[in-house]
Amino acid sequence: MKLKDKVCIVTGAASGIGKEIAIVFAREGGKVVIADLNKDAAQATADEIKATGGGAMAVAMDVTSEEQVNAAVAEVVAAWGGVDVLVSNAGIQIVHPTEEYPFADWKKMLAIHLDGAFLTTKACLPHMYAKGSGSIIYMGSVHSKEASVLKSAYVTAKHGLIGLAKVIAKEGGRKGVRANVICPGFVRTPLVEKQIPEQAKTLGISEADVVKNVMLKETVDGEFTTTDDVAEVALLFASFPSNALTGQSLVVSHGWFMQ
Ligand code: NAD
């Protein structure tokens, strides 16, 4: 077991990629914290993991609220004594052409993706520094390195996470804390299902064309990345045994983006 008794907070873990990461971490012996806006769904995921013998707890957390983030991390530390791994994964997507992008939506996107990453990192770091070890993983995207039309806020936020990870890698290096970014291609979660009809409407093409000629066009095999693919990369970053792997971003996208 690669994460035996490690306390792992995963934000946005009630659904999609975060949920799969929590399941895989629990399978590897981790004690996983399902942190999500949606407390009922978070509890359902925690119950699912507990039913298979894994250690899990659910906490209500809006990652844009400093008060809620701090309260949830304090609850975890009180229950389980510390934090070993943070996966800052909670995210949403809002697409518009830039000239029509509502400023309120722009601010909401940056708040969830960037404020959320900052606030959860800030809350967890003192506990990791106290132990002299920790791994922080940010859920970036191919859009941390590449651009697409209609996604000004998302692309800006996802690029920003790479900068944050590099700073945390430098600040945390001598204190045993690593920080890395996972950059998935399209994964068929609710976040992506919602975009297919929206993009079809905005671009004036069919939903099948959005999948084939927009989302998967540049992949080597026309395949979606899966939640399990992303969870395996998260496991690598979470369980890597030394500081050698820090400040990095790893693309998992069926070759959509190669570096
Ligand atoms: P999802 O919609 O299935 O899950 C997102 C989860 O985040 C939900 O449970 C939701 O309740 C939670 N959430 C939303 N706002 C929150 C907030 N303010 N505080 C706490 N929780 C909140 O989406 P997903 O596809 O699993 O996406 C997870 C992450 O992966 C996101 O950061 C997304 O940008 C990134 N990502 C997704 C894809 C993809 O193709 N699905 C590709 C690359 C990166």
Side-chain angles (χ1 to χ4, degrees), residues 11-48:
T11 70
S15 171
I17 292 171
K19 179 175 178 180
E20 188 68 33
I21 290 172
I23 290 169
V24 168
F25 282 12
R27 183 194 75 199
E28 292 294 332
K31 293 157 83 172
V32 294
V33 180
I34 314 299
D36 207 287
L37 200 55
N38 183 338
K39 177 77 195 285
D40 289 345
Q43 191 59 56
T45 299
D47 290 345
E48 217 177 285

Side-chain angles (χ1 to χ4, degrees), residues 15 17 36 61-63 89 139-140 154 158 185 187 189-192:
S15 171
I17 292 171
D36 207 287
M61 183 198 284
D62 177 347
V63 296
N89 164 79
M139 195 52 64
Y154 191 80
K158 292 301 193 190
V187 183
T189 64
L191 179 142
V192 161

Side-chain angles (χ1 to χ4, degrees), residues 99-121:
E99 72 277 17
E100 291 169 17
Y101 212 109
F103 187 36
D105 284 351
W106 167 271
K107 285 194 275 196
K108 184 175 178 185
M109 286 291 287
L110 266 54
I112 294 175
H113 292 274
L114 291 178
D115 296 0
F118 165 72
L119 291 172
T120 51
T121 298

Side-chain angles (χ1 to χ4, degrees), residues 15 18 26 30 39-40 57 67 103 118 121 143 162 181 201 227:
S15 171
K39 177 77 195 285
D40 289 345
M57 70 185 274
E67 205 182 345
F103 187 36
F118 165 72
T121 298
H143 287 113
I162 292 189
V181 184
K201 193 166 166 230
T227 56

Side-chain angles (χ1 to χ4, degrees), residues 123-198:
C124 290
L125 273 178
H127 303 290
M128 294 178 170
Y129 288 165
K131 277 192 173 182
S133 70
S135 174
I136 299 181
I137 300 163
Y138 299 105
M139 195 52 64
S141 163
V142 163
H143 287 113
S144 298
K145 292 165 184 283
E146 181 57 277
S148 291
V149 297
L150 310 176
K151 296 187 176 175
S152 50
Y154 191 80
V155 169
T156 301
K158 292 301 193 190
H159 273 65
L161 291 174
I162 292 189
L164 178 61
K166 289 178 179 174
V167 173
I168 302 305
K170 288 200 172 191
E171 290 182 357
R174 296 197 186 281
K175 298 171 183 169
V177 174
R178 295 176 290 109
N180 293 287
V181 184
I182 305 176
C183 302
F186 281 100
V187 183
R188 212 148 183 175
T189 64
L191 179 142
V192 161
E193 294 296 349
K194 174 177 167 285
Q195 283 176 64
I196 296 172
E198 286 175 359

Side-chain angles (χ1 to χ4, degrees), residues 142 145-146 218-219 251-259:
V142 163
K145 292 165 184 283
E146 181 57 277
E218 303 294 338
T219 62
V251 181
V252 51
S253 71
H254 283 259
W256 164 16
F257 183 85
M258 298 188 194
Q259 44 189 354

